[in-house]
Amino acid sequence: MAQQTEDRADEATIRAIATAEAGRPGALMPILVAVQRRFGWLPPATVEIVADVLNVSRADVAGVASFYADFRIEPAGRLVVGVCRAEACQAAGGEALAAYAEERLGCGFGATAADGSATLDAVYCFGNCALAPAASVGGRLIGRASPERLDAAIRAETER
Ligand code: FES
């Protein structure tokens, strides 16, 4: 019962977000961005509600939501860690950092640890190439990232 009430509240929030943006040209992307910012992912009701508000097909909304890797169609773990897999970071030791992140978090890229503690994202350039390799922990950018610095940032975030 509590879950149903929560789901209905979420659906009302999604509808309010979509309605507020619906008059803008190209409203679909800003709506999906706003929904994800609010929930941390795109809850399943998003596609139907946004399609209804914008008067487009569900396939149109689902196509955009699934095309862009930045949109999550499943909830993320409690901590989101990103490691840059692009060229400048690869050349600066990014592969070792990536391997460490997988081992430390207990999941591969694009996945969430079984206990829900963390999600590991591959990022293709943070725009921080001068300080490669780059990573992010809980949205905070780390330059010249090493396993030790990544570990310290993860501990700091999880102890908050
Ligand atoms: S290539 Fe990694 S931050 Fe640009």
Side-chain angles (χ1 to χ4, degrees):
M1 187 68 174
Q3 184 62 49
Q4 284 180 340
T5 304
E6 196 173 306
D7 288 349
R8 276 200 293 274
D10 289 353
E11 289 170 17
T13 301
I14 294 166
R15 187 169 291 278
I17 290 169
T19 302
E21 300 283 340
R24 291 174 55 171
L28 179 53
M29 284 291 280
I31 289 170
L32 295 179
V33 168
V35 171
Q36 179 154 304
R37 191 173 298 135
R38 169 65 180 78
F39 294 98
W41 67 301
L42 300 178
T46 304
V47 168
E48 185 173 344
I49 293 169
V50 173
D52 179 50
V53 170
L54 295 183
N55 196 26
V56 297
S57 73
R58 291 181 201 179
D60 288 336
V61 179
V64 171
S66 61
F67 181 79
Y68 293 97
D70 285 344
F71 288 128
R72 294 187 192 286
I73 55 173
E74 293 179 356
R78 291 185 292 283
L79 181 66
V80 176
V81 175
V83 174
C84 182
R85 313 296 311 269
E87 202 168 299
C89 286
Q90 294 282 303
E95 265 310 303
L97 183 67
Y100 178 76
E102 289 181 310
E103 183 189 324
R104 171 68 170 78
L105 300 175
C107 63
F109 282 88
T112 297
D115 64 0
S117 58
T119 293
L120 179 58
D121 286 339
V123 176
Y124 291 90
C125 193
F126 285 104
N128 196 41
C129 319
L131 296 176
S136 69
V137 176
R140 295 173 64 173
L141 191 59
I142 304 168
R144 301 223 191 287
S146 61
E148 294 76 20
R149 294 191 70 196
L150 190 70
D151 202 41
I154 290 169
R155 270 189 277 112
E157 282 294 320
T158 52
E159 289 167 6
R160 280 177 168 217

